Amino acid sequence: MLLYLWFAARGSFVWAVSTLILRLLPPEWVDRPAWTLLISGAVSGAGLVVATLFFVRKVTPDHRLGALVAFVAPQMLLDAGVTALFSLVLPNFPVSHAPLFGAFVLWCYAVMLTTAVIATRPRP
């Protein structure tokens, strides 16, 4: 249980730093939908963070899926809030990019979780 709380805390921290970085970007950097995707994807590169955390914490294979879910769940919840309050949280982005942002970050989380399920399934 402590391991999962540890990963949930790290996930919340990664979300806060990523959101702060997005918030501080100049508006001229995010004026096109393609840039919104590229920047959101680069900042949300949580896959590398998770892999590093697994290595640092020496997470056993039977706990990796639960740890990843604990890492991603707070981020998904918080990003749903960011999408709902997009113009308040990210006023430097055009409001029209809110659906694109929400869809993209949730898709990234889905890819991470799907990869975790595939990578942690028992091998025959």
Side-chain angles (χ1 to χ4, degrees):
M1 181 65 168
L2 189 59
L3 175 73
Y4 300 136
L5 290 174
W6 190 88
F7 271 92
R10 289 341 178 252
S12 298
F13 177 75
V14 167
W15 172 85
V17 170
S18 301
T19 302
L20 181 64
I21 290 169
L22 290 174
R23 172 66 179 90
L24 296 176
L25 288 173
E28 55 273 3
W29 285 20
V30 293
D31 61 347
R32 294 186 180 90
W35 283 112
T36 297
L37 286 176
L38 180 65
I39 292 168
S40 299
V43 172
S44 300
L48 294 175
V49 174
V50 173
T52 303
L53 291 175
F54 281 162
F55 177 74
V56 169
R57 288 291 300 220
K58 296 177 177 57
V59 178
T60 60
D62 57 325
H63 286 37
R64 287 184 182 156
L65 181 58
L68 182 65
V69 169
F71 182 81
V72 170
Q75 294 181 60
M76 290 178 75
L77 181 64
L78 292 165
D79 272 334
V82 168
T83 303
L85 303 170
F86 192 77
S87 62
L88 295 173
V89 179
L90 298 173
N92 51 330
F93 282 74
V95 177
S96 63
H97 291 196
L100 182 63
F101 172 84
F104 186 71
V105 294
L106 291 176
W107 177 77
C108 288
Y109 295 134
V111 168
M112 286 173 51
L113 291 171
T114 302
T115 302
V117 168
I118 292 168
T120 59
R121 75 181 192 284
R123 305 279 188 244

